[in-house]
């Protein structure tokens, strides 16, 4: 697709955009351009409707009977099936449950006995901190080696076996991983990869089957717009499932929970990883949020997100900014990271102009390009505002230097 070189050309791209109608399904303030790629996507109208109905009707009127009448008991597994299509998995291989942190630990404990080679858990030295913390804590509890892998040493670590925690899309740079190549290497050594799909699901076309992925987890509150603190999901390949034994068995993952059996018998599908009672209000919002993806081709979403990123990169280069993300859209996830001196106050100055984005210490500004509600003209105007802020040094106002708790 041609990259816009004027605002009018950006508007023309929007007029031809087959995904343009999806924007109206989201509730966003009129004066905000939302480019946040971390912990919270905006609410989908269906998510708010489902949440309100669950609270005001199913909970307030149906009370405990809604576990049956409103389908609460099966909701987490149902949403796992709904989400499975977005990652190229089978419905019974995906379960919505817990958090990414908890699921990484459960998968690591389940996978370790099945690995060959060195008893180790590997994680990139530049991986998202949570993934590193879980790897270290797991290693200490199980008396295995925790290996933090430096850039370029991935395949050397994989060739030694064990477990490898790896993000499909790097949280800082946006670099996309060749998952097939990693899985092929793991197959050779008997290693198992735990994929973190948090920065990939909902914005790029994933296919767990095609790449040979066995295990994964990911969040639902970024590009899936599930809401603040929305539960995570867990994927386990069907043929591997019978060999996976969760370290946190709960009655919701029991084959017959209402028999109240004192001995744990896991379900046959991914729901065996369920632990405690699921957060129904959050699940109801997620159910509505996933409606936004019904009937959509993930390749089309990936193509638009890539094109939005291409426009951002082209204008960033015109401004003279350092681009930390891959230039080629096929090698990039849904966000673009720029290295900007005084990045934090610059993001606050952008916020004051209505452009909300991420800051990652020490000097990274990150723009998340969700294809469902962002327009080409939004990106054009964003980069114009960024150029003006840097040129005029308006970012150097005292109020923009004061750090918020969440950046």
């Amino acid at each position: 697709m041609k990259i816009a070189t004027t605002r009018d050309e950006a508007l023309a791209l929007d007029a031809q955009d087959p995904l343009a109608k999806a924007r109206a399904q989201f509730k966003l303030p009129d004066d905000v351009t939302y480019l946040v790629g971390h912990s919270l996507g905006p609410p989908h109208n269906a998510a708010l409707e489902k949440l309100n109905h669950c609270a005001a009707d199913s909970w307030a009127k149906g009370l405990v009977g809604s576990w049956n009448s409103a389908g609460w008991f099966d909701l987490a597994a149902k949403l796992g099936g709904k989400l499975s299509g977005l990652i190229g998995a089978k419905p019974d291989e995906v379960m919505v449950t817990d958090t990414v942190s908890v699921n990484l630990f459960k998968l690591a404990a389940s996978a370790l006995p099945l690995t060959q080679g060195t008893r180790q858990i590997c994680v990139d030295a530049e991986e998202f901190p949570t993934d590193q913390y879980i790897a270290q804590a797991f290693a200490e509890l199980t008396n295995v080696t925790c290996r933090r892998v430096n850039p370029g040493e991935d395949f050397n670590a994989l060739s030694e076996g064990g477990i490898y925690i790896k993000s499909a899309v790097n949280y800082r740079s946006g670099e996309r991983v060749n998952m097939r190549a990693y899985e092929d290497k793991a197959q050779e050594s008997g290693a198992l990869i735990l994929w973190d799909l948090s920065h990939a699901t909902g914005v790029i076309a994933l296919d767990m089957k095609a790449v040979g992925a066995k295990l994964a987890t990911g969040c639902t509150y970024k590009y899936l717009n599930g809401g603040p603190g929305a539960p995570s999901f867990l994927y386990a390949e069907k043929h591997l499932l019978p060999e996976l034994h969760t370290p946190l068995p709960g009655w919701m993952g029991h084959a017959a929970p209402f028999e109240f059996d004192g001995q744990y018998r896991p379900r046959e599908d991914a729901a065996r990883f369920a632990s405690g009672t699921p957060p129904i209000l959050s699940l109801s919002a997620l159910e509505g949020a996933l409606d936004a993806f019904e009937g959509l081709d993930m390749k089309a979403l990936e193509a638009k997100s890539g094109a939005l990123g291409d426009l951002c990169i082209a204008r960033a280069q015109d401004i003279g900014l350092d681009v930390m993300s891959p230039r080629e859209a096929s090698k990039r996830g849904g966000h673009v990271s720029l290295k900007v001196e005084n990045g934090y106050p610059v993001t606050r100055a952008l916020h004051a102009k209505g452009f909300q984005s991420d800051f990652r210490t020490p000097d990274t500004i990150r723009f998340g390009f969700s294809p469902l509600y962002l327009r080409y003209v939004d990106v054009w105007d964003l980069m114009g505002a960024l150029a003006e802020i840097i040129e005029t040094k308006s970012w150097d106002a005292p109020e923009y230097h004061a750090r918020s708790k969440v950046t």
Side-chain angles (χ1 to χ4, degrees), residues 5-27:
T5 57
T6 67
R7 193 173 191 276
D8 284 342
E9 289 181 359
L11 287 168
L13 289 175
D14 288 325
Q16 302 165 11
D17 179 15
L19 296 172
K21 292 181 179 179
R23 178 181 172 86
Q25 300 173 12
F26 289 86
K27 192 172 182 62

Side-chain angles (χ1 to χ4, degrees), residues 290-327:
L290 291 177
D291 286 347
F293 296 89
E294 286 292 324
L296 294 182
D297 182 355
M298 287 306 303
K299 291 182 179 179
L301 271 69
E302 178 182 316
K304 181 183 174 183
S305 180
L308 293 170
D310 288 344
L311 176 56
C312 173
I313 289 172
R315 297 216 66 199
Q317 292 173 328
D318 290 342
I319 298 170
L321 297 176
D322 291 334
V323 179
M324 300 173 64
S325 302
R327 269 58 168 187

